Amino acid sequence: MRKRFHGLKRPKVRQSWNKYNLYNLTQVVSPPTITRTYFQQKWSAKSLTRAYHGETVRERHWKGMFRPTIRSVVSMDYAYLARSDGAEQALGRGSGLDLAPGSNEKRVPRTPYMNMVYAPLERRLDTAIFRALFASSTRQARQFVVHGDVKVNGKKMIYPGYQLNPGDMFQVEPERVLFATGAQKAKNERRAGRRYKNMVKLASESEDTSETAEPSPTPTDSPEPPLPADSKIELKSLLNQARNILSTNSALAAKKKQDLRAFKHLLKRTLSRSTTSTILTESLDAQLKELTSRLSLDSQAPPATESSSVAPTPAEPGSAETSSPLENLVAPSPAPVRRSRTLQREEEAAIRAAIAEARENPIDPSKPYATPWRPREWMSAFAFIPRYLEVHHKICSAVYLRHPVARPGLGEVPTPYSTEVNGLAFNWYLRRR
């Protein structure tokens, strides 16, 4: 990336979600016209608009794509067509007669044709990926395409300048989209990710050494498959969490401590086995859910009895130490208070929703983005989708419905500049074809 790509002294708006670019958007003003010649006005408008539209496209290539004709649509009012032939539109000084004071007739808003100057660039694959909110910038979208993470109509496409046609469907790898739109890891989260990778590496190396040390089995032997490394790591993490809760939470009831100790012994027996299946981890996960719900809920108690409230402790935004529902749901019990049946049901529904969310959006230190996933900063200011795209964010796919057009009062090409600035840029390229 060039130096001063998001300069603040001479700001130029880019197709990016960067925070400096958001600041530059707030500083956008029309270039001065009083002290400049018409040639200078056109050149300044071209320089500003090209910094945003197709910044990665060479000028020579863009001049070949430029078209002086602009697509537009006009809504036809059937009632007006039935009572008039349109002759009154030619009266006056070219835009119809002036309306009488107090008239209720609404004038049709003007069509911003000049905002459609860069409509051909919206057909490019990298621009469409950025408009569909699958990438944080057009440069990142180009990277996804070149690296083979994008498919068009089911086939891999590695050309960022591919021109989409109406009806084309493009799809981006979900992991790439999560990385592009997700928040970045904090310092402690990156440290936890490195520790996790080292643990996986050591586990794989130990397995390799054990396999080389063991004699090769005879054809009559039928050994069972060893425990996968991922399952071992997950079971060890659950065991450590259970130990931490037993050591730190001294206010837990005796029954809860017994349940936690039983769960810890089950994990130890599981880790001591030489062979097992990957389904065992899923069953332990289900048992963990049942245990945490039993520890945090007391729905069988009568409304008049006193029960301790066990609520999930929210983790800090930058923390990566809390990584399982067991730590989030089992917390030290505060002073006993009286609970009603309705409040217990509300807590039960909230904790069930939290468990479901933790299942769908788990904490995974191996991911290159912050987990559980959350949108990146400054994304809300750029989160809009043009009308000519139909996006399905659950499968990271979008359909290019049609080419962008100009409507009365609306130009479908998103641009941060006014119609006058785009009109000057249009005249620059109109005279230089």
Side-chain angles (χ1 to χ4, degrees):
M1 182 176 291
R2 297 195 305 265
K3 294 179 64 176
R4 303 184 186 279
F5 184 70
H6 298 289
L8 300 179
K9 291 184 178 180
R10 294 183 178 179
K12 287 189 176 181
V13 182
R14 310 288 186 178
Q15 289 184 350
S16 171
W17 296 353
N18 191 279
K19 60 180 179 181
Y20 299 109
N21 189 54
L22 180 60
Y23 174 79
N24 290 337
L25 271 173
T26 63
Q27 306 299 316
V28 170
V29 293
S30 298
T33 58
I34 298 177
T35 59
R36 295 185 179 182
T37 64
Y38 187 53
F39 178 87
Q40 292 173 338
Q41 295 177 28
K42 291 190 296 182
W43 191 91
S44 300
K46 183 268 300 183
S47 176
L48 289 175
T49 54
R50 281 285 286 126
Y52 179 80
H53 296 281
E55 179 267 332
T56 57
V57 181
R58 294 182 180 272
E59 186 70 10
R60 184 176 180 180
H61 187 195
W62 157 240
K63 288 181 179 179
M65 297 173 60
F66 175 77
R67 293 292 180 269
T69 56
I70 296 176
R71 292 185 175 92
S72 62
V73 294
V74 178
S75 57
M76 306 299 292
D77 187 3
Y78 62 90
Y80 169 76
L81 294 176
R83 69 173 182 267
S84 176
D85 58 352
E88 68 275 7
Q89 295 294 331
L91 300 177
R93 297 183 178 180
S95 60
L97 291 175
D98 294 336
L99 297 178
S103 177
N104 295 329
E105 185 178 356
K106 294 182 180 180
R107 189 181 295 274
V108 179
R110 292 185 178 182
T111 304
Y113 293 102
M114 292 297 98
N115 287 352
M116 305 295 297
V117 180
Y118 297 99
L121 291 174
E122 300 297 315
R123 292 184 59 187
R124 289 176 56 92
L125 181 59
D126 54 355
T127 306
I129 292 173
F130 172 73
R131 298 296 189 196
L133 306 181
F134 293 155
S136 61
S137 65
T138 50
R139 287 175 174 252
Q140 191 177 50
R142 287 173 62 88
Q143 185 186 45
F144 291 168
V145 177
V146 173
H147 289 185
D149 297 326
V150 180
K151 293 181 180 180
V152 177
N153 297 329
K155 297 182 180 180
K156 185 185 295 184
M157 178 58 63
I158 60 173
Y159 303 106
Y162 175 78
Q163 298 286 311
L164 294 172
N165 296 314
D168 286 349
M169 184 182 72
F170 57 93
Q171 183 176 7
V172 186
E173 289 293 332
E175 282 297 321
R176 296 287 86 196
V177 177
L178 292 174
F179 169 72
T181 60
Q184 297 181 355
K185 281 187 173 182
K187 187 175 181 179
N188 54 350
E189 291 177 331
R190 291 194 296 269
R191 190 182 299 112
R194 289 193 294 268
R195 288 200 302 264
Y196 177 80
K197 290 180 180 179
N198 292 335
M199 289 174 57
V200 174
K201 185 178 180 180
L202 292 175
S204 61
E205 290 178 356
S206 62
E207 285 186 358
D208 294 340
T209 55
S210 62
E211 288 179 0
T212 55
E214 292 178 358
S216 57
T218 58
T220 56
D221 298 335
S222 58
E224 298 181 359
L227 180 66
D230 295 339
S231 301
K232 285 183 177 180
I233 295 173
E234 186 175 357
L235 293 175
K236 288 180 180 179
S237 64
L238 292 177
L239 180 59
N240 293 332
Q241 292 162 17
R243 288 174 177 172
N244 292 336
I245 292 174
L246 283 174
S247 61
T248 57
N249 296 340
S250 58
L252 289 177
K255 180 60 178 175
K256 296 180 181 179
K257 289 184 178 181
Q258 291 177 2
D259 292 338
L260 277 174
R261 290 193 184 98
F263 184 70
K264 186 178 69 172
H265 294 328
L266 175 62
L267 288 174
K268 285 184 177 180
R269 289 196 303 269
T270 304
L271 288 172
S272 63
R273 297 177 185 175
S274 59
T275 58
T276 184
S277 62
T278 57
I279 305 176
L280 186 59
T281 304
E282 298 294 334
S283 64
L284 286 174
D285 195 6
Q287 185 175 354
L288 175 61
K289 288 184 180 180
E290 182 182 356
L291 179 62
T292 52
S293 63
R294 189 166 69 248
L295 290 173
S296 57
L297 297 176
D298 193 10
S299 57
Q300 301 297 331
T305 59
E306 295 183 352
S307 61
S308 60
S309 72
V310 180
T313 58
E316 298 180 358
S319 175
E321 301 298 330
T322 57
S323 60
S324 100
L326 188 59
E327 292 184 356
N328 295 332
L329 295 178
V330 181
S333 301
V337 295
R338 290 187 177 275
R339 293 288 183 179
S340 63
R341 189 72 174 177
T342 306
L343 186 59
Q344 290 179 358
R345 289 176 180 175
E346 292 177 356
E347 286 182 349
E348 184 177 356
I351 294 179
R352 285 180 179 176
I355 293 176
E357 183 179 358
R359 184 67 174 177
E360 295 177 359
N361 191 12
I363 295 178
D364 190 354
S366 64
K367 300 297 183 182
Y369 47 87
T371 54
W373 186 91
R374 57 186 181 273
R376 62 182 300 168
E377 293 181 334
W378 322 109
M379 179 181 174
S380 58
F382 306 95
F384 68 93
I385 299 175
R387 292 189 175 189
Y388 52 87
L389 291 178
E390 185 69 27
V391 183
H392 197 303
H393 288 287
K394 289 187 177 181
I395 58 176
C396 300
S397 298
V399 177
Y400 184 79
L401 299 176
R402 52 178 173 76
H403 300 309
V405 296
R407 302 174 180 274
L410 173 65
E412 291 187 349
V413 175
T415 177
Y417 298 102
S418 62
T419 306
E420 290 76 14
V421 176
N422 285 289
L424 291 171
F426 178 80
N427 290 329
W428 171 272
Y429 291 110
L430 189 65
R431 298 289 296 175
R432 294 183 173 273
R433 282 187 53 80

